[in-house]
Amino acid sequence: MSSRRRTLLKVIVLGDSGVGKTSLMNQYVHKKFSQQYKATIGADFVTKELLIDDRLVTLQIWDTAGQERFQSLGVAFYRGADCCVLAYDVNVMRSFDTLDNWHEEFLRQANPSNPRTFPFILLGNKIDIDGGNSRVVSEKKAKDWCASKVNIPYFETSAKEDYNVDAAFLSIAKTALANEHDQDIYFQAVHDPVPETEQKGGCAC
Ligand code: GDP
Ligand code: MG
């Protein structure tokens, strides 16, 4: 009998208020979309089970309760994240311009062991609006930004039309899984017992 290890992956979604973070999660997990703007939600996170390469994965996706507009999100939100999803609205330049701040804020708060290789994914949302005629951020501009940050994968999505949402979150899960693997190896290395010979005569600091 093959043993299947269940893996819990924590994913957090960041970006300006109104870009569609909650809608993307709702579409992905509940297959629902609402036009109504609800700044607050009850739960801190939603979960979705996935099978990736024969591995059972529970994706725990953390949403903000709207406080991204006026206050910091607190350490519990960032702690132990396996992947950070950055979202912006392709029709709102400001939401693209603030991506650098969100990227930096994540690295500062989550303080990952290797900031250079920590996985991010960028979502350009609301591509359905006005058939794309009101977009102000081109795909090229978004991809250039991704390239400037050690090749962040980029997806254009519509939470309303359920366009590319599954594909984006599958990539998010795979990226998070790959990162989790790295951590396993890292912890193993750190906790390896130090051979006796190396312990003697070492400095006490
Ligand atoms: P959040 O503040 O980032 O969580 O944004 P919300 O998910 O609450 O969405 C803000 C508003 O944008 C709501 O009125 C949503 O219905 C709307 N919205 C979200 N995603 C889309 C989308 O892909 N297309 C369109 N047309 N509207 C969207
Ligand atoms: Mg929200």
Side-chain angles (χ1 to χ4, degrees):
M1 199 172 71
S2 71
S3 69
R4 231 180 224 173
R5 195 153 72 90
R6 181 185 291 262
T7 308
L8 180 71
L9 298 173
K10 178 174 176 177
V11 171
I12 70 172
V13 187
L14 289 175
D16 279 5
S17 184
V19 300
K21 302 183 295 298
T22 304
S23 302
L24 284 161
M25 292 168 53
N26 268 338
Q27 182 58 265
Y28 179 58
V29 176
H30 305 297
K31 290 276 161 250
K32 278 189 192 143
F33 176 78
S34 160
Q35 289 285 357
Q36 269 170 329
Y37 182 80
K38 288 190 206 128
T40 352
I41 56 152
D44 288 332
F45 58 80
V46 290
T47 58
K48 173 121 173 166
E49 308 246 298
L50 286 174
L51 201 55
I52 299 175
D53 300 335
D54 211 29
R55 220 164 138 182
L56 200 52
V57 171
T58 303
L59 208 56
Q60 191 184 64
I61 313 164
W62 287 59
D63 192 13
T64 70
Q67 72 271 48
E68 72 271 28
R69 278 173 301 166
F70 52 88
Q71 67 186 60
S72 77
L73 294 161
V75 278
F77 185 77
Y78 294 96
R79 191 185 293 134
D82 296 296
C83 178
C84 176
V85 179
L86 298 172
Y88 78 98
D89 178 342
V90 299
N91 308 282
V92 179
M93 187 57 81
R94 204 195 130 70
S95 70
F96 180 78
D97 289 338
T98 54
L99 287 174
D100 271 322
N101 302 351
W102 287 115
H103 186 259
E104 272 171 37
E105 178 77 354
F106 174 83
L107 292 176
R108 190 168 43 233
Q109 300 282 350
N111 199 18
S113 53
N114 196 341
R116 266 191 61 77
T117 58
F118 187 88
F120 287 87
I121 288 211
L122 180 64
L123 305 183
N125 191 39
K126 304 199 191 183
I127 59 157
D128 60 282
I129 291 185
D130 203 14
N133 289 323
S134 65
R135 75 181 286 166
V136 292
V137 182
S138 68
E139 192 171 353
K140 179 174 186 313
K141 193 174 165 88
K143 284 186 171 166
D144 285 350
W145 186 85
C146 289
S148 76
K149 299 271 189 276
V150 198
N151 275 327
I152 293 178
Y154 177 57
F155 290 85
E156 303 219 315
T157 57
S158 165
K160 184 180 178 187
E161 315 261 288
D162 194 12
Y163 176 79
N164 234 0
V165 177
D166 273 6
F169 276 95
L170 182 61
S171 170
I172 289 160
K174 286 185 172 173
T175 306
L177 192 60
N179 184 50
E180 196 244 10
H181 187 62
D182 283 354
Q183 277 176 356
D184 279 351
I185 294 165
Y186 174 74
F187 282 122
Q188 237 173 4
V190 165
H191 294 303
D192 269 348
V194 182
E196 280 257 299
T197 47
E198 286 178 30
Q199 284 175 351
K200 282 185 223 144
C203 112
C205 57

